[in-house]
Amino acid sequence: MAQLQHILEASSVYAAFFDNPALRVVLEEHRSARNRILEKTGPVAKGPNMLQRRIATTASSWGSNLPVANCNDALSIINVKIGGQLLPVMIDTSVSDTWVESSRCDETCKSSSDSRYDASQSSTFRPVDAARSDFQYEYLDGAIKGTHAYETLTLGNIEVRNQVFAQASSTVNWENLCDEVGLLGLGFSDASSQDFPALLSNLEDQQITMFSLYLADHNDYQLYMNQSTQREEAIPQQPPTSTASELTFGGVNPQRYINCLIWHELGQFQEKGTWSFALDGIKIGSTEVPSSSLATVDSATAGISGPQETVGRIAKKLGVVCKVFTDEEGDFEEVPCDDPFGFDLAVAYCSQIDSMPSLTFVADGYSYTLTSSELFSESYIENGQAVCVLNMDGVLEYPGWRLGMGFLRKYYTVFDFGRKRLGFAEATAQSSTFCQADSKYFIGYIPDETLYTTDPTQSPTSHDIPTPNDASAVLSGLRFFFRMLFAGFFVVGICLAGAMIGHRQARAPTHGHSPVRTTDPDEEVAKTSMTREVELPPLTQ
């Protein structure tokens, strides 16, 4: 009974938990969401963490993991459905518009005609108002022209209806590096054409507030040697041979990074619609270099771009040979790396790279370091030796930094558009330990025997401290409640069983004899009273 008293005391404490109005609201929301999930799923393995395991197993219904093809370390390509038609498009986090080459595209389009979008084959196509129909996307010396329309866009198991996109009819100076027929814009709505809602806004309406990107250091396309540039390039219009990289909508894949995510708030910078944050500084080796504090994560940039003067200083510190092209045939001449007009190419023999210093970006006190080997890629053979090219470009007009695929291959990146922040962690192909602070973002099944780490050197930000509105706190409370309830039933069951056994023993006659019954009720009463005083002889056959 002492155990039962402890259980009752515990239950009264837990009742106070439900007296908190904020927690009660969160609990009801959680119950509603959980019931919707359980309706779509079958039974799972039983055990003490059954609720947790069921939710973890079905968490992918809130998100989607999509394979990404790495195109020559220059583009990331994903297959999306637009109007039911599967189309390969490049991922671009620096723009807000989504567009694809259409079946009406003229001779400027380089993709094969059978891989383009065809509005006549879609039952969900709907044109926009004529006044807002025109679409034009300009870049450098090229431009994409076409018309806007509404369509159903599908990302794995996520369906976005009435998404505005553009069907291109002209793509001037647009080169299809691989098999892509357009791009998927993952920037914010404030930079979209004609002020249409961007894809991120429509995803947020469906309670999907983040996506994450893992880029493997592996080219997924067949290559050939371009004789004019003496560089290996992907064969255009060829499907990928594999897809080692991954784009996750709705959360993160904890198997793709180690330690815990470090979060950085997005800044209010001059570029609208982009994933920009502030830098504390930049170092080459142990030497700090003066630079802009603006950094933008851009999945459509091959390497890393920065202010021309700063990139020149970094190249000079690395000790590379800087060159500028003198004609379209690929001829070049050497120039000082800190030349005020910049350089087109910075190279070094690959055997020299390991002795070069690393490049470090510092943000909110955290360092993100790219080793010298991660700053270069092997390109061609010269004098019998492999030549590596520096994957950095100096841009005169743009004052900030573009952290492209060279950065994204090293750091798993989470784009949280619900809270306007970026999360970084060191990427890996397969992690064996997961960060407990990030568990509320996990997509997919997480085994019960998972090893968690809190990574004390990388403490979570204030966003990760549990609050009364944090569903994870409610789940912990629910697990405690069900455990205590189960223990209560167990103890009460034992008490009831003991009481029944005691009652039977009290009713049983001494010496193990059974009472004698008759057909006369009065005689039965009389004999019952006699058994209390007189011992009956044993029955004989």
Side-chain angles (χ1 to χ4, degrees), residues 381-392:
I381 303 298
E382 181 180 87
N383 299 327
Q385 297 189 60
V387 176
C388 285
V389 176
L390 178 65
N391 295 322
M392 294 186 67

Side-chain angles (χ1 to χ4, degrees), residues 264-493:
H264 303 283
E265 303 295 332
L266 300 185
Q268 300 298 321
F269 297 107
Q270 62 206 45
E271 274 198 311
K272 292 183 178 180
T274 60
W275 292 92
S276 301
F277 65 105
L279 293 175
D280 298 339
I282 297 176
K283 296 187 295 183
I284 180 69
S286 59
T287 303
E288 293 189 8
V289 292
S291 178
S292 167
S293 62
L294 170 64
T296 300
V297 178
D298 184 1
S299 63
T301 295
I304 295 175
S305 298
Q308 184 168 286
E309 181 181 357
T310 305
V311 172
R313 292 189 181 188
I314 293 173
K316 185 176 182 179
K317 184 71 174 180
L318 290 171
V320 297
V321 176
C322 296
K323 305 177 180 182
V324 294
F325 292 111
T326 56
D327 53 45
E328 296 182 356
E329 301 299 325
D331 295 327
F332 57 84
E333 64 180 14
E334 294 186 11
V335 295
C337 290
D338 56 356
D339 188 286
F341 295 100
F343 57 83
D344 296 321
L345 195 66
V347 298
Y349 288 121
C350 297
S351 58
Q352 302 172 339
I353 291 177
D354 290 340
S355 61
M356 296 180 181
S358 301
L359 177 66
T360 301
F361 296 93
V362 182
D364 296 325
Y366 294 98
S367 296
Y368 300 97
T369 300
L370 298 174
T371 65
S372 54
S373 61
E374 293 166 340
L375 293 173
F376 289 82
S377 60
E378 186 174 339
S379 184
Y380 58 92
I381 303 298
E382 181 180 87
N383 299 327
Q385 297 189 60
V387 176
C388 285
V389 176
L390 178 65
N391 295 322
M392 294 186 67
D393 295 311
V395 182
L396 184 61
E397 297 83 5
Y398 184 69
W401 290 87
R402 291 269 174 174
L403 306 181
M405 294 182 68
F407 182 87
L408 294 170
R409 283 194 297 271
K410 176 67 177 290
Y411 293 101
Y412 186 86
T413 304
V414 183
F415 303 78
D416 187 345
F417 48 93
R419 291 177 173 175
K420 303 295 187 296
R421 59 179 183 167
L422 282 162
F424 301 121
E426 188 173 347
T428 184
Q430 184 68 42
S431 177
S432 58
T433 60
F434 302 152
C435 176
Q436 194 168 19
D438 300 339
S439 59
K440 53 183 169 290
Y441 312 125
F442 291 172
I443 293 295
Y445 174 73
I446 308 301
D448 284 344
E449 61 271 16
T450 294
L451 298 177
Y452 287 93
T453 177
T454 55
D455 192 19
T457 63
Q458 299 182 355
S459 58
T461 65
S462 59
H463 288 300
D464 297 312
I465 299 175
T467 64
N469 291 326
D470 198 330
S472 62
V474 178
L475 287 177
S476 299
L478 283 173
R479 288 195 292 271
F480 174 79
F481 173 74
F482 286 125
R483 288 171 182 168
M484 297 302 297
L485 187 62
F486 176 80
F489 284 140
F490 179 78
V491 173
V492 171

Side-chain angles (χ1 to χ4, degrees), residues 77-392:
I77 297 178
I78 186 174
N79 286 323
V80 300
K81 285 185 178 180
I82 300 181
Q85 302 170 46
L86 194 63
L87 303 171
V89 294
M90 62 177 287
I91 302 169
D92 195 338
T93 58
S94 64
V95 301
S96 304
D97 296 301
T98 295
W99 64 266
V100 291
E101 296 177 350
S102 73
S103 57
R104 300 179 301 170
C105 201
D106 58 24
E107 66 280 357
T108 59
C109 289
K110 303 299 189 300
S111 64
S112 59
S113 58
D114 57 352
S115 63
R116 302 172 188 171
Y117 170 78
D118 188 352
S120 65
Q121 301 298 316
S122 173
S123 61
T124 53
F125 171 84
R126 183 165 59 91
V128 302
D129 296 337
R132 306 173 67 189
S133 177
D134 290 343
F135 168 77
Q136 182 162 334
Y137 171 66
E138 297 182 357
Y139 63 97
L140 299 178
D141 57 347
I144 310 296
K145 296 182 180 180
T147 56
H148 286 106
Y150 294 102
E151 255 295 10
T152 296
L153 190 149
T154 306
L155 304 164
N157 58 9
I158 299 174
E159 185 177 89
V160 183
R161 300 181 181 180
N162 297 319
Q163 173 63 49
V164 175
F165 82 112
Q167 45 179 346
S169 57
S170 174
T171 58
V172 178
N173 292 333
W174 177 269
E175 297 295 334
N176 304 76
L177 295 183
C178 290
D179 60 339
E180 78 278 9
V181 297
L183 62 82
L184 181 72
L186 294 177
F188 293 94
S189 292
D190 56 1
S192 64
S193 300
Q194 303 285 359
D195 295 325
F196 286 116
L199 174 62
L200 298 188
S201 296
N202 289 333
L203 287 173
E204 193 168 7
D205 290 342
Q206 299 188 35
Q207 308 304 312
I208 298 173
T209 60
M210 66 171 57
F211 66 92
S212 50
L213 184 60
Y214 165 73
L215 294 185
D217 189 13
H218 173 71
N219 197 325
D220 296 322
Y221 290 81
Q222 295 180 0
L223 303 177
Y224 76 102
M225 179 60 71
N226 188 322
Q227 298 300 324
S228 61
T229 62
Q230 290 299 305
R231 302 181 64 177
E232 285 189 330
E233 297 180 4
I235 301 176
Q237 308 303 326
Q238 290 292 317
T241 56
S242 64
T243 50
S245 305
E246 180 181 81
L247 178 65
T248 301
F249 284 96
V252 304
N253 184 348
Q255 299 178 353
R256 299 305 190 190
Y257 66 92
I258 59 177
N259 297 325
C260 295
L261 290 166
I262 302 301
W263 295 101
H264 303 283
E265 303 295 332
L266 300 185
Q268 300 298 321
F269 297 107
Q270 62 206 45
E271 274 198 311
K272 292 183 178 180
T274 60
W275 292 92
S276 301
F277 65 105
L279 293 175
D280 298 339
I282 297 176
K283 296 187 295 183
I284 180 69
S286 59
T287 303
E288 293 189 8
V289 292
S291 178
S292 167
S293 62
L294 170 64
T296 300
V297 178
D298 184 1
S299 63
T301 295
I304 295 175
S305 298
Q308 184 168 286
E309 181 181 357
T310 305
V311 172
R313 292 189 181 188
I314 293 173
K316 185 176 182 179
K317 184 71 174 180
L318 290 171
V320 297
V321 176
C322 296
K323 305 177 180 182
V324 294
F325 292 111
T326 56
D327 53 45
E328 296 182 356
E329 301 299 325
D331 295 327
F332 57 84
E333 64 180 14
E334 294 186 11
V335 295
C337 290
D338 56 356
D339 188 286
F341 295 100
F343 57 83
D344 296 321
L345 195 66
V347 298
Y349 288 121
C350 297
S351 58
Q352 302 172 339
I353 291 177
D354 290 340
S355 61
M356 296 180 181
S358 301
L359 177 66
T360 301
F361 296 93
V362 182
D364 296 325
Y366 294 98
S367 296
Y368 300 97
T369 300
L370 298 174
T371 65
S372 54
S373 61
E374 293 166 340
L375 293 173
F376 289 82
S377 60
E378 186 174 339
S379 184
Y380 58 92
I381 303 298
E382 181 180 87
N383 299 327
Q385 297 189 60
V387 176
C388 285
V389 176
L390 178 65
N391 295 322
M392 294 186 67

